[in-house]
Amino acid sequence: MKKEFLHFSIRTIRNKLIFVLSLSIVLTCLVKLGDVEKIPRLVSALSALMRSTMDHSSVSGTLSEELQLVSHYITIQQIRFGSRLHYEQECPAALYDARIPRLLLQPLVENAVKYALEPSEDSCSIRIQMTCSETNLQITVADNGPGIPTARLTAIRQDQAAPSGSGIGLRNLKERSPAAVWGYCILFH
């Protein structure tokens, strides 16, 4: 267990460093292109995102806080990809105070950027939608990318898939969101 946690921690740090490095390249490009009016927005969004991800004071946060974190991430990616990235969210205001695991939504949106937007020259639409019943909070993060092949998705759902990328994403979400902890079932689609 300690070894797995150490590997997880190293991958997490590595991913954050890669993210910061790619943003420094974006900043350099903005300066070289004379597109400096975007720099304050980029730095502000990056600062807010980094503050949120480094705050370890609680394992949970409100849905509103998580949506704000996603908003900062999307701001950075929209500066990076311009009009190729479209984002929308649908969340009833009554759900804003719902407690969910911290850093639950942003990794899903990051996966959408990584697997639907980055490898393509086409535009990408990412949509977050939330609905709730008495026992379920349903979260849908959808994109118009190629999707996960059916066989791979089945293997992921059965915990039999070899990780792609850093291997953290979906497994981490499944482990962090059992109904026994949160009092309701968090369903991902």
Side-chain angles (χ1 to χ4, degrees), residues 23 29 43 51 86 168 175:
L23 286 179
C29 290
V43 171
R51 272 193 307 274
H86 307 281
I168 299 170
E175 291 171 0

Side-chain angles (χ1 to χ4, degrees), residues 63-126:
L63 191 50
S64 177
E65 292 166 342
E66 288 299 300
L67 289 171
Q68 187 62 42
L69 181 67
V70 168
S71 177
H72 295 309
Y73 179 78
I74 288 292
T75 295
I76 292 166
Q77 297 306 333
Q78 284 177 325
I79 290 170
R80 185 175 167 208
F81 291 105
S83 62
R84 288 183 51 215
L85 176 58
H86 307 281
Y87 171 72
E88 62 181 278
Q89 70 180 39
E90 183 181 321
C91 179
L95 297 180
Y96 286 164
D97 291 330
R99 305 281 312 167
I100 63 171
R102 290 188 74 246
L103 295 172
L104 187 76
L105 297 176
Q106 187 272 334
L108 291 171
V109 174
E110 187 173 337
N111 277 355
V113 169
K114 181 177 180 178
Y115 295 109
L117 179 61
E118 285 181 356
S120 173
E121 293 297 319
D122 297 330
S123 63
C124 177
S125 295
I126 299 173

